Amino acid sequence: MSLFLSLTVISVLYASANAGISWNAAPFNPPAVPLAVRSPYLNVWLAQGAGAQLNDVWPTFWTGSILGWAGYVKVDGTTYTFLGSPGNNGTQKAVQKDLTWTSTQSIFIMTAGGIDLTANFLSPVDPTNLVNQSLPFSYLAVSVASNDGDSHSVQVYSDISAEWISGNDSLIANWNTTTGSVLIHQVQLTNQSMFAEILDHTQYGSAYYSTSNTDGVTYQTGEDLVVRGQFIANGTLLNTQDTEFRAIQDRWPVFAFAHDLGTVKAVTGPVLFSVGHVRDPAIEYIVATGGRQNRSLYFWSQYSTVDAAVVDFHADYGNALSVAKAYDAQVQSDASKVSSNYADIVALSIRQALATVELTISRSSNGSWNTSDVMTFMKEISSSGDVSTVDVIYPSWPIFLYTNPELGKYLLLPLFEYQASGQYPNQWSVHDLGGPYPQALGHNDECGNMLIMTLSYTQFTSDESLIKAYYNLLDQWTLFLISDSLVPANQLSTDNFAGALANQTNLAIKGIVGIKAMSVIANLTGDSSKADNYSSISSSYAEQFLEFATSTSGHHLTLAYGNDSSWSLSYNLYADKLLNTQIFSESVYQMQDAWYSNVANLYGVPLDTRHTYTESDWEIWMAAIATTSQTRDIFIDSVQKYASSGASNVPFGD
Ligand SMILES: *[C@@H]1O[C@H](CO)[C@@H](O)[C@H](O)[C@H]1NC(C)=O
Ligand SMILES: *[C@@H]1O[C@H](CO)[C@@H](O)[C@H](O)[C@H]1NC(C)=O
Ligand SMILES: *[C@@H]1O[C@H](CO)[C@@H](O)[C@H](O)[C@H]1NC(C)=O
Ligand SMILES: *[C@@H]1O[C@H](CO)[C@@H](O)[C@H](O)[C@H]1NC(C)=O
Ligand SMILES: *[C@@H]1O[C@H](CO)[C@@H](O)[C@H](O)[C@H]1NC(C)=O
Ligand SMILES: *[C@@H]1O[C@H](CO)[C@@H](O)[C@H](O)[C@H]1NC(C)=O
Ligand SMILES: *[C@@H]1O[C@H](CO)[C@@H](O)[C@H](O)[C@H]1NC(C)=O
Ligand SMILES: *[C@@H]1O[C@H](CO)[C@@H](O)[C@H](O)[C@H]1NC(C)=O
Ligand SMILES: *[C@@H]1O[C@H](CO)[C@@H](O)[C@H](O)[C@H]1NC(C)=O
Ligand SMILES: *[C@@H]1O[C@H](CO)[C@@H](O)[C@H](O)[C@H]1NC(C)=O
Ligand SMILES: *[C@@H]1O[C@H](CO)[C@@H](O)[C@H](O)[C@H]1NC(C)=O
Ligand SMILES: *[C@@H]1O[C@H](CO)[C@@H](O)[C@H](O)[C@H]1NC(C)=O
């Protein structure tokens, strides 16, 4: 099933919701600003909504629950809060001056008395380097500079709470601190529940908060009021550890660092912090004959301890920042070829999309890591929490084709292997791998999606391994489409919240393109008689389809056969373009284009005539297949308008 997220309000006007914002925002103020967004469990946002400064509210998990993350800067003896909402105990609030975000960075500039502080939240995206991409860590780099020409005495402080390790703050945590070239606070539940979640938070593994061990650094763990109070009073911490392990919410233990930067005039820093959450194993996966396999994040192939990975992550910051800037510029340049609003939407989506997946490897029988066995798993965030849901992978598929199609292959592999193992009883394709995440233990109609994704992967990479290894499975799914797709039974679509319906035209389109995709696959493998047969079946279906599906006015496709006044977003036509199968003629696209421009609302075109809501993912697919730039921009600009409206404060809808 698909996500039913934030792009739900079509007709409500919020045009002036963020009129009170005083800072400069580029490209705009998004619903939530990504702070540390790298995995389903390291997924931390500033719920910005109609306008919240970095120090107006606490950072939150994607669900909205608080993740304590505090920051102070002390300037000539006066303490200012710059991050989080740790209370006003003799402190002032820095004033947000600027927010700039890109595909990988969210950069805030805050004025605190005589200095300006820059906080860069960098969540690296390195899709072709599997070691780096699988490291569940993000950077916070803080630099300061005088803003009035004078020198100032400056100390910087930051901590996290134990809220990062559980969805239940009554549970007992323990922690410790190591002091090598990087200072590392590690915190975890005393009772670890393997593979378990509470309210979407993981219940095992550890959170890490680290900082570089440079001159003037101090650390402390203990009750929030005490540790923060120490910094406020003194500007340094005591290098002590509180070892009275207790519940997350019992005199809230925090894990803090302070850096004394001395006298500052020119740009000083950055002071580097990193935050992460690591579980091992990451995924429990079903293998042949009901067996279970533990799978670990890819980075373990390079590191034998988390601390070693953290030390390298810190040492690599300079390089990571240049790689990030180059990546941001590449995305900006590629996406700007469509439009500036499109580039903004892509930049806002990249971290979020890649953080829904985890890259894993298994062990060989002798215990060594098997880096030939890479599989990626996706968490279906914000609805069922299932693993590797085919119709949630499907709308995100273009971002994998763009960033690195291999990541797409690694996402499809566990689905293929599970179904090839014979444990799945149906003729049609599985919907997901069970759940909730991270237990991929199987689940007992996603045939078109699988065919379309598999062929597009093959076309993008010329790697025929998937179509060769799973040819029979792909053919089996096609037979299901041949019997079911022209006249789709009464069923839910991916937009399951919209309700079940027979004869949905958009489902028929996907099935018909799926049959044609198998024709191309058969042709690639030299099976030309099958290729010819499936090609003629799909052409004949497409012809019959247009008779069933075109409204009598001839102005649009209907939502369901025979219901003349109905219509829907025919976003599955995207597959016909992506694969260049040319099953539907240009006149179909032109008819749809002309229609949508008549029925667009403030935030876009409704999903279908049953409701007024829509989905940002399908609007963007509609933009991709538009025949005119005017229609394309109706879709893109309405998604941008929604994202910049202040109408929501949750992470961007799918
Ligand atoms: C949270 O933990 C407490 C203490 O173990 C327990 O009593 C409570 O039921 C738990 N709540 C949830 C939602 O797990
Ligand atoms: C910190 O605690 C974790 C979990 O108990 C443990 O694995 C690790 O070895 C400890 N580190 C130190 C330096 O004590
Ligand atoms: C850990 O779990 C066990 C069994 O559920 C329970 O007896 C014990 O009290 C728990 N310990 C803590 C520290 O929560
Ligand atoms: C203020 O800080 C002092 C330590 O300097 C601490 O004892 C006190 O509890 C704090 N009060 C609040 C409301 O944070
Ligand atoms: C801060 O603590 C240090 C070490 O205990 C002490 O020498 C210094 O005087 C204190 N400074 C302030 C302003 O309290
Ligand atoms: C997977 O890891 C868990 C936790 O370490 C362990 O209890 C379980 O036995 C492992 N399963 C397999 C199949 O190795
Ligand atoms: C990624 O990983 C490699 C080695 O695994 C390392 O040398 C490199 O600096 C890392 N960082 C980036 C940003 O590529
Ligand atoms: C490593 O994984 C690959 C792909 O699953 C498999 O073919 C190979 O046998 C595995 N190697 C070992 C040593 O287990
Ligand atoms: C474990 O098996 C792998 C794959 O067969 C092999 O490359 C590696 O050398 C083996 N390691 C040990 C310690 O035997
Ligand atoms: C579905 O459409 C077909 C072809 O137009 C029609 O024969 C059939 O009655 C329709 N089914 C339903 C349930 O409307
Ligand atoms: C199969 O491929 C050949 C060679 O590219 C092409 O001429 C033919 O039209 C293809 N057949 C189908 C059904 O796509
Ligand atoms: C085409 O494929 C369908 C479905 O497998 C089959 O029923 C039909 O006999 C095939 N036709 C030809 C001419 O091979």
Side-chain angles (χ1 to χ4, degrees):
M1 314 286 154
S2 179
L3 313 185
F4 180 38
L5 277 187
S6 50
L7 226 151
T8 55
V9 185
I10 300 292
S11 52
V12 184
L13 269 162
Y14 274 97
S16 61
N18 46 21
I21 291 170
S22 56
W23 57 89
N24 177 56
F28 56 77
N29 283 298
V33 185
L35 299 180
V37 179
R38 297 232 47 200
S39 85
Y41 303 117
L42 185 67
N43 215 288
V44 188
W45 302 79
L46 173 68
Q48 202 272 147
Q53 293 195 160
L54 184 59
N55 56 3
D56 279 337
V57 292
W58 282 114
T60 46
F61 194 48
W62 65 261
T63 56
S65 66
I66 289 173
L67 297 174
W69 195 359
Y72 291 128
V73 60
K74 195 163 188 174
V75 182
D76 303 326
T78 302
T79 303
Y80 298 83
T81 309
F82 71 88
L83 168 61
S85 184
N88 187 11
N89 190 4
T91 66
Q92 300 191 17
K93 269 169 84 174
V95 176
Q96 188 162 313
K97 195 166 145 181
D98 193 90
L99 162 63
T100 302
W101 47 269
T102 63
S103 292
T104 62
Q105 306 173 68
S106 298
I107 306 165
F108 297 81
I109 302 177
M110 319 281 294
T111 296
I115 63 117
D116 279 0
L117 175 147
T118 302
N120 186 353
F121 295 83
L122 168 61
S123 291
V125 169
D126 204 351
T128 57
N129 181 326
L130 303 188
V131 170
N132 294 356
Q133 186 59 35
S134 69
L135 280 171
F137 292 94
S138 289
Y139 297 105
L140 164 57
V142 176
S143 53
V144 297
S146 171
N147 60 23
D148 60 6
D150 293 338
S151 297
H152 300 280
S153 163
V154 178
Q155 295 81 38
V156 171
Y157 168 98
S158 184
D159 70 46
I160 65 165
S161 71
E163 287 158 300
W164 294 59
I165 62 165
S166 175
N168 183 347
D169 293 340
S170 303
L171 299 178
I172 310 292
N174 68 64
W175 52 83
N176 55 38
T177 304
T178 46
T179 55
S181 64
V182 174
L183 304 181
I184 304 174
H185 293 307
Q186 179 181 345
V187 50
Q188 53 272 315
L189 287 175
T190 298
N191 268 357
Q192 301 259 308
S193 306
M194 292 303 297
F195 306 119
E197 291 185 334
I198 293 178
L199 300 177
D200 283 296
H201 292 256
T202 186
Q203 295 307 115
Y204 71 107
S206 304
Y208 294 83
Y209 201 44
S210 309
T211 199
S212 306
N213 193 350
T214 47
D215 281 353
V217 69
T218 50
Y219 69 89
Q220 191 169 337
T221 60
E223 182 181 354
D224 56 349
L225 295 181
V226 172
V227 176
R228 292 168 187 164
Q230 165 64 30
F231 177 80
I232 291 166
N234 186 285
T236 62
L237 298 173
L238 299 176
N239 293 334
T240 55
Q241 301 190 45
D242 177 343
T243 53
E244 191 195 341
F245 301 137
R246 56 187 184 268
I248 295 165
Q249 65 188 12
D250 178 2
R251 290 158 290 143
W252 302 95
V254 297
F255 312 94
F257 301 111
H259 286 267
D260 186 350
L261 300 182
T263 303
V264 167
K265 193 166 179 186
V267 178
T268 303
V271 168
L272 190 62
F273 302 92
S274 73
V275 66
H277 193 289
V278 182
R279 297 134 38 239
D280 190 58
I283 293 281
E284 186 181 26
Y285 176 59
I286 187 168
V287 289
T289 64
R292 304 276 192 275
Q293 181 192 57
N294 286 338
R295 302 187 61 89
S296 295
L297 295 180
Y298 194 99
F299 79 82
W300 287 105
S301 61
Q302 188 108 342
Y303 295 103
S304 53
T305 66
V306 174
D307 283 15
V310 170
V311 167
D312 271 13
F313 190 70
H314 274 250
D316 197 38
Y317 175 69
N319 181 36
L321 183 61
S322 354
V323 168
K325 285 179 173 168
Y327 188 77
D328 292 345
Q330 184 67 53
V331 171
Q332 176 69 23
S333 150
D334 291 343
S336 294
K337 288 173 190 157
V338 176
S339 74
S340 153
N341 279 345
Y342 181 66
D344 298 345
I345 292 164
V346 176
L348 188 55
S349 306
I350 293 248
R351 271 168 287 190
Q352 184 173 3
L354 292 177
T356 61
V357 302
E358 293 190 298
L359 265 160
T360 68
I361 47 175
S362 63
R363 285 185 191 271
S364 314
S365 47
N366 68 7
S368 68
W369 295 113
N370 184 355
T371 51
S372 307
D373 179 23
V374 185
M375 287 186 180
T376 299
F377 296 83
M378 177 181 279
K379 176 166 174 172
E380 181 175 345
I381 283 179
S382 102
S383 44
S384 60
D386 285 339
V387 183
S388 295
T389 309
V390 175
D391 64 0
V392 176
I393 294 175
Y394 190 56
S396 68
W397 187 247
I399 212 164
F400 295 106
L401 291 179
Y402 171 69
T403 53
N404 178 9
E406 288 292 312
L407 297 178
K409 175 185 180 173
Y410 301 141
L411 266 169
L412 297 183
L413 272 174
L415 290 157
F416 273 123
E417 282 205 5
Y418 167 60
Q419 293 174 90
S421 75
Q423 298 175 88
Y424 176 69
N426 298 320
Q427 288 304 299
W428 56 86
S429 165
V430 75
H431 172 266
D432 59 64
L433 286 174
Y437 204 86
Q439 291 183 293
L441 301 182
H443 209 286
N444 290 347
D445 56 325
E446 303 295 325
C447 303
N449 296 351
M450 290 298 287
L451 286 155
I452 290 159
M453 292 192 285
T454 302
L455 176 57
S456 60
Y457 167 75
T458 309
Q459 290 175 330
F460 268 66
T461 60
S462 303
D463 167 12
E464 298 187 351
S465 63
L466 289 178
I467 61 173
K468 287 190 171 136
Y470 302 106
Y471 189 77
N472 292 338
L473 210 45
L474 292 162
D475 193 31
Q476 174 192 314
W477 295 335
T478 311
L479 295 184
F480 181 74
L481 293 180
I482 289 172
S483 65
D484 182 71
S485 65
L486 180 58
V487 182
N490 186 33
Q491 60 192 289
L492 296 169
S493 77
T494 178
D495 313 305
N496 54 305
F497 44 82
L501 189 66
N503 280 335
Q504 294 184 56
T505 61
N506 194 41
L507 279 179
I509 292 168
K510 186 163 69 181
I512 295 167
V513 177
I515 298 167
K516 177 68 182 185
M518 188 63 202
S519 160
V520 178
I521 289 169
N523 214 16
L524 283 170
T525 59
D527 194 344
S528 59
S529 66
K530 184 162 281 172
D532 290 344
N533 185 18
Y534 289 174
S535 182
S536 66
I537 292 172
S538 58
S539 302
S540 137
Y541 279 14
E543 221 170 282
Q544 294 173 70
F545 167 84
L546 287 177
E547 278 176 29
F548 293 154
T550 310
S551 68
T552 46
S553 68
H555 289 155
H556 57 86
L557 298 176
T558 58
L559 163 64
Y561 299 161
N563 184 350
D564 249 0
S565 60
S566 69
W567 49 267
S568 68
L569 292 182
S570 49
Y571 55 81
N572 283 323
L573 285 169
Y574 171 71
D576 190 31
K577 289 289 184 195
L578 177 68
L579 302 173
N580 195 24
T581 34
Q582 299 180 25
I583 276 286
F584 295 97
S585 69
E586 279 306 291
S587 61
V588 175
Y589 292 89
Q590 285 158 358
M591 169 177 74
Q592 293 297 85
D593 255 38
W595 179 252
Y596 293 126
S597 56
N598 294 326
V599 290
N601 290 344
L602 179 62
Y603 294 131
V605 179
L607 190 59
D608 62 51
T609 34
R610 288 172 293 176
H611 309 278
T612 56
Y613 51 63
T614 192
E615 281 189 56
S616 55
D617 50 355
W618 304 139
E619 291 214 89
I620 294 297
W621 281 34
M622 293 308 302
I625 61 173
T627 59
T628 66
S629 53
Q630 286 85 344
T631 309
R632 180 195 72 194
D633 291 343
I634 287 173
F635 288 107
I636 290 173
D637 296 351
S638 51
V639 172
Q640 192 275 352
K641 184 182 288 180
Y642 176 74
S644 60
S645 67
S648 154
N649 70 354
V650 299
F652 203 16
D654 42 342

